[in-house]
C-alpha cells in the first residue's frame, strides 16, 4: 500500500491526513498553535512551523510507511532567510497589516489596473508579500541587506524537507511581484522594491516531485483553497465550489483572466493545471450566524436554530438581513458597510431572524455567482455551513443549482494527497484521482421554492444603504 500524506497548514493549526490508495483516511493529526499578535503585527516563529510539520510526519510515519506527501498553506505568510535557509526574523503572517504605507506607495506608483493586468490581484493591500518586503526594507534595513531568500510558508517547509529552494505558481499568485501570464517574477515590481529575482526560489509546476525526506517522496503542493477544490472534485467543467465557514469562499476555474473591473474585487489565481481560477470571498458568512447565536441564542445548538428556521416560510415574512458585520468585499467592495436587520414587525420570531441570516448568506452567494457569470451546473459545498441541510437547500433554491456535500471533510488534505499521488505515479492524473478519491455525500436539488422576492429585497436594501 502506497500511503499518501496531505498536510494543510492553516492560520492557527496544522492538519495532516494520511490516505491509502483508495483515498480512505487511515490517520489524522492536528497541531494547534497561537500566533504572536500585537496591534497590526501578526507573526510566528518560522522554525516552529517546521517543528510542527516534523512532529506530524514523525507521528504518522511511526505507524504507517508514508510513500509521498505534499503541503498546502495560506498564500501570503512570508519568511526571509540567509543563504542557508536560516530565518532572519519571525515569519510575517498573512493576516499582518503593518505594511499599509508600503501598499499605498505601490498603488501610487503602479495603479490598481496595471497591477491587476500583470498579477490578477485587483487590490493593493498590506497583506501582499510585496508590501511586506518593502516594509522590511523601510523599517528593518539591517535585515533587508542580509536577505538571500524570500520564501512563502510552503517554500520554507519544502526547503526544510529537501534542502531545495523551490516554489510553485499557485502560491505566488497573490504576492503582486509575480506575473501570472508569464508565470515568472515581475521584474518591474522587484526593481521598485529594491531587489531582483536572485533572492526568490526556483519556480516548479504544482504537483511535481522535488526530492525525498527520510524515504518519503516530496511533492510541490498548492495554496489551501486550490488544494481544497481538488479535494472537493472541482476539476472538470461545470463544477465549482463554495465554502461557508467563518467567511465564504467561491472557487471558479476559468480559462481566461477576466478584464479589470474597478467596481469589483475578484482575485484571479493560477490553478493547479496552469490555467486560472477566480477566488471570490466575503468577510462574513458563518460568523454572522455564530454572532447571532452567541449573543441572542446562547443556550441553543446550531441544529436547534435550524429547527426554528425550518418552521418559517421562505422569505422570512419580509425580514431582510445584510450580513456586513465586517464590511463588504465581493462582488462589491465597501469596507464601511454595516450589518442590518430590516422590516421587523411584531410577527417576527427568533426563527425568522435565524432564517433571514441563512437566506442573506445565500443571497450573498448568488450575487457573487451572478457577477462571475460562470458556466456551471453543480456546486460542491464545504465548511461548517455544509452541515446544515436547511442551509444547503436554501442555497440550492436561491441559485437554482445543485449542491453536493462531501464525505471527506478535510478536502485540502485530500487535495494535497492527490497531488502527491499523481506526481509519484500512484494516480494517472489529478482527474483520475478525483474519480477514485472524492465521494459525494448528500445532493440538494432546487425544490421549486421561489426566492425571487427575497433576493430582490436583499439587492434593493443593499443598494439603498451601501450603493
Amino acid at each position: 500500500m502506497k500511503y499518501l500524506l496531505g498536510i494543510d497548514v492553516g492560520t492557527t493549526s496544522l492538519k495532516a491526513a494520511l490516505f491509502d490508495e483508495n483515498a480512505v483516511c487511515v490517520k489524522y493529526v492536528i497541531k494547534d498553535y497561537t500566533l504572536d499578535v500585537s496591534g497590526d503585527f501578526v507573526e510566528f516563529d518560522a522554525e516552529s512551523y517546521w517543528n510542527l510539520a516534523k512532529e506530524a510526519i514523525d507521528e504518522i510515519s511511526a505507524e504507517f510507511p508514508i510513500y509521498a506527501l505534499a503541503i498546502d498553506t495560506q498564500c501570503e505568510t512570508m519568511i526571509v532567510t540567509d543563504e542557508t535557509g536560516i530565518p532572519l526574523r519571525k515569519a510575517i503572517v498573512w493576516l499582518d497589516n503593518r505594511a499599509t504605507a508600503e501598499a499605498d506607495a505601490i498603488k501610487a506608483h503602479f495603479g490598481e489596473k496595471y497591477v491587476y493586468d500583470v498579477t490578477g490581484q485587483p487590490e493593493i493591500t498590506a497583506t501582499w508579500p510585496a508590501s511586506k518586503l518593502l516594509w522590511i526594507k523601510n523599517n528593518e534595513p539591517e535585515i533587508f541587506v542580509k536577505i538571500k531568500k524570500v520564501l512563502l510558508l510552503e517554500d520554507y517547509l519544502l526547503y526544510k524537507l529537501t534542502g531545495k529552494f523551490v516554489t510553485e505558481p499557485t502560491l505566488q499568485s497573490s504576492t503582486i511581484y509575480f506575473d501570472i501570464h508569464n508565470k515568472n517574477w515581475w521584474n518591474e515590481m522587484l526593481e521598485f522594491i529594491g531587489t531582483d529575482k536572485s533572492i526568490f526560489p526556483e519556480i516548479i509546476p504544482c504537483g511535481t516531485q522535488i526530492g525525498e525526506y527520510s524515504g518519503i517522496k516530496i511533492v510541490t503542493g498548492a495554496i489551501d483553497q486550490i488544494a481544497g477544490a481538488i479535494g472537493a472534485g472541482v476539476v472538470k467543467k461545470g463544477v465549482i465550489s463554495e465554502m461557508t465557514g467563518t467567511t465564504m469562499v467561491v472557487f471558479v476555474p476559468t480559462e481566461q483572466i477576466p478584464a479589470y473591473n474597478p467596481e469589483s474585487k475578484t482575485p484571479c489565481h493560477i490553478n493547479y493545471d496552469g490555467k486560472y481560477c477566480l477566488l471570490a470571498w466575503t468577510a462574513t458568512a458563518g460568523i454572522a450566524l455564530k454572532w447571532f447565536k452567541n449573543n441572542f441564542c446562547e443556550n441553543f445548538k446550531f441544529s436547534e436554530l435550524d429547527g426554528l428556521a425550518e418552521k418559517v416560510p421562505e422569505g422570512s415574512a419580509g425580514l431582510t438581513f445584510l450580513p456586513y458585520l465586517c464590511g463588504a468585499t465581493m462582488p462589491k467592495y465597501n469596507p464601511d458597510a454595516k450589518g442590518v436587520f430590516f422590516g421587523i414587525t411584531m410577527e417576527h420570531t427568533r426563527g425568522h431572524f435565524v432564517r433571514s441570516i441563512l437566506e442573506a448568506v445565500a443571497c450573498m452567494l448568488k450575487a457573487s455567482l451572478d457577477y462571475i457569470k460562470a458556466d456551471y451546473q453543480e456546486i460542491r459545498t464545504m465548511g461548517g455551513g455544509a452541515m446544515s441541510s436547511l442551509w444547503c437547500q436554501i442555497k440550492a433554491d436561491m441559485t437554482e443549482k445543485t449542491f453536493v456535500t462531501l464525505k471527506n471533510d478535510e478536502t485540502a488534505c485530500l487535495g494535497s494527497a492527490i497531488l502527491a499521488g499523481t506526481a509519484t505515479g500512484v494516480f494517472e492524473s489529478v482527474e483520475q484521482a478525483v474519480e477514485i478519491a472524492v465521494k459525494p455525500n448528500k445532493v440538494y436539488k432546487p425544490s421549486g421554492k421561489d426566492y425571487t422576492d427575497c433576493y430582490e429585497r436583499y439587492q434593493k436594501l443593499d443598494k439603498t444603504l451601501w450603493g
Side-chain angles (χ1 to χ4, degrees):
M1 182 66 69
K2 295 178 179 178
Y3 292 103
L4 304 170
L5 181 62
I7 299 177
D8 171 37
V9 188
T11 304
T12 57
S13 67
L14 179 149
K15 301 174 183 178
L18 187 71
F19 300 89
D20 66 19
E21 294 173 41
N22 299 311
V24 175
C25 183
V26 298
K27 181 72 175 180
Y28 178 76
V29 172
I30 183 168
K31 304 284 183 180
D32 293 320
Y33 47 90
T34 302
L35 301 175
D36 302 324
V37 181
S38 177
D40 288 336
F41 287 47
V42 184
E43 301 182 337
F44 191 66
D45 178 64
E47 191 73 15
S48 294
Y49 281 122
W50 163 241
N51 291 335
L52 290 163
K54 186 176 183 299
E55 286 174 12
I57 294 168
D58 290 346
E59 184 175 336
I60 291 172
S61 61
E63 293 186 46
F64 297 91
I66 304 170
Y67 182 68
L69 71 80
I71 301 170
D72 66 85
T73 68
Q74 69 271 68
C75 291
E76 297 91 15
T77 295
M78 188 177 74
I79 299 167
V80 294
T81 79
D82 65 13
E83 62 276 3
T84 64
I86 296 176
L88 298 172
R89 64 174 329 281
K90 287 184 176 181
I92 303 179
V93 178
W94 72 274
L95 285 169
D96 190 284
N97 203 42
R98 75 185 68 186
T100 53
E102 286 71 24
D104 290 343
I106 292 171
K107 182 177 179 179
H109 183 82
F110 292 96
E112 288 185 331
K113 182 180 185 302
Y114 187 30
V115 170
Y116 176 82
D117 288 342
V118 176
T119 71
Q121 300 306 309
E123 291 184 89
I124 300 170
T125 74
T127 301
W128 307 145
S131 303
K132 293 181 167 90
L133 189 56
L134 188 56
W135 184 92
I136 294 176
K137 178 187 177 184
N138 291 341
N139 295 274
E140 298 176 345
E142 72 284 359
I143 290 177
F144 187 80
V145 297
K146 295 178 183 178
I147 294 174
K148 298 302 180 183
K149 291 296 175 185
V150 176
L151 307 175
L152 301 184
L153 182 50
E154 181 193 337
D155 308 334
Y156 178 69
L157 295 175
L158 291 177
Y159 171 75
K160 297 296 287 187
L161 287 165
T162 67
K164 296 180 180 178
F165 291 113
V166 298
T167 191
E168 45 84 15
T170 76
L171 188 66
Q172 298 294 335
S173 292
S174 59
T175 59
I176 72 166
Y177 48 62
F178 191 78
D179 184 334
I180 66 170
H181 299 271
N182 298 317
K183 299 179 177 60
N184 212 330
W185 309 112
W186 183 18
N187 289 326
E188 191 176 356
M189 180 63 75
L190 299 184
E191 289 172 4
F192 178 79
I193 295 170
T195 187
D196 59 57
K197 62 183 180 181
S198 66
I199 66 171
F200 295 94
E202 180 185 1
I203 302 164
I204 302 291
C206 174
T208 300
Q209 184 180 340
I210 59 168
E212 292 193 357
Y213 170 77
S214 298
I216 303 168
K217 301 179 189 300
I218 308 301
V219 174
T220 53
I223 65 170
D224 48 8
Q225 294 297 336
I226 290 177
I230 294 171
V234 186
V235 297
K236 60 183 179 181
K237 191 173 182 180
V239 179
I240 67 174
S241 68
E242 71 90 17
M243 182 190 71
T244 297
T246 298
T247 64
M248 175 186 286
V249 179
V250 179
F251 180 93
V252 179
T254 180
E255 299 281 336
Q256 303 293 332
I257 301 172
Y260 176 73
N261 180 354
E263 300 302 317
S264 185
K265 303 289 182 180
T266 306
C268 184
H269 286 245
I270 298 171
N271 205 355
Y272 75 93
D273 55 3
K275 297 178 183 177
Y276 300 99
C277 59
L278 303 179
L279 285 175
W281 63 279
T282 64
T284 53
I287 193 64
L289 183 62
K290 186 175 183 180
W291 162 81
F292 189 80
K293 173 187 177 298
N294 290 347
N295 290 283
F296 304 105
C297 308
E298 302 96 317
N299 298 321
F300 286 76
K301 299 176 181 178
F302 284 109
S303 59
E304 292 173 326
L305 295 183
D306 270 6
L308 294 175
E310 279 181 321
K311 299 174 183 178
V312 175
E314 63 272 17
S316 303
L319 182 61
T320 302
F321 177 60
L322 296 183
Y324 302 141
L325 303 184
C326 298
T329 51
M330 299 175 192
K332 179 177 64 181
Y333 180 72
N334 186 347
D336 297 323
K338 300 294 187 292
V340 173
F341 282 106
F342 180 79
I344 304 170
T345 70
M346 296 288 288
E347 172 187 5
H348 293 122
T349 65
R350 182 183 277 119
H352 288 86
F353 281 86
V354 173
R355 187 174 188 108
S356 71
I357 293 172
L358 303 182
E359 290 177 346
V361 173
C363 286
M364 193 163 55
L365 171 61
K366 177 174 169 56
S368 293
L369 295 173
D370 287 350
Y371 168 73
I372 293 172
K373 294 182 176 65
D375 180 16
Y376 66 97
Q377 292 76 46
E378 179 179 304
I379 300 176
R380 301 290 172 93
T381 183
M382 302 172 284
M387 299 173 66
S388 168
S389 294
L390 174 62
W391 213 346
C392 290
Q393 190 59 58
I394 289 172
K395 290 174 182 176
D397 291 334
M398 184 73 70
T399 61
E400 298 182 298
K401 299 292 182 180
T402 298
F403 275 66
V404 178
T405 63
L406 303 159
K407 290 186 176 179
N408 178 66
D409 293 333
E410 297 299 336
T411 54
C413 288
L414 178 57
S416 290
I418 286 172
L419 289 173
T422 303
T424 56
V426 177
F427 306 119
E428 294 179 5
S429 65
V430 168
E431 294 73 21
Q432 185 247 2
V434 164
E435 290 294 323
I436 296 170
V438 180
K439 307 297 182 185
N441 189 19
K442 296 180 180 179
V443 177
Y444 299 87
K445 294 184 177 293
S447 68
K449 289 184 177 180
D450 187 0
Y451 278 90
T452 303
D453 180 65
C454 177
Y455 185 63
E456 289 179 351
R457 278 191 284 110
Y458 173 90
Q459 290 282 70
K460 183 179 179 179
L461 181 61
D462 188 13
K463 185 176 182 179
T464 299
L465 292 180
W466 307 120

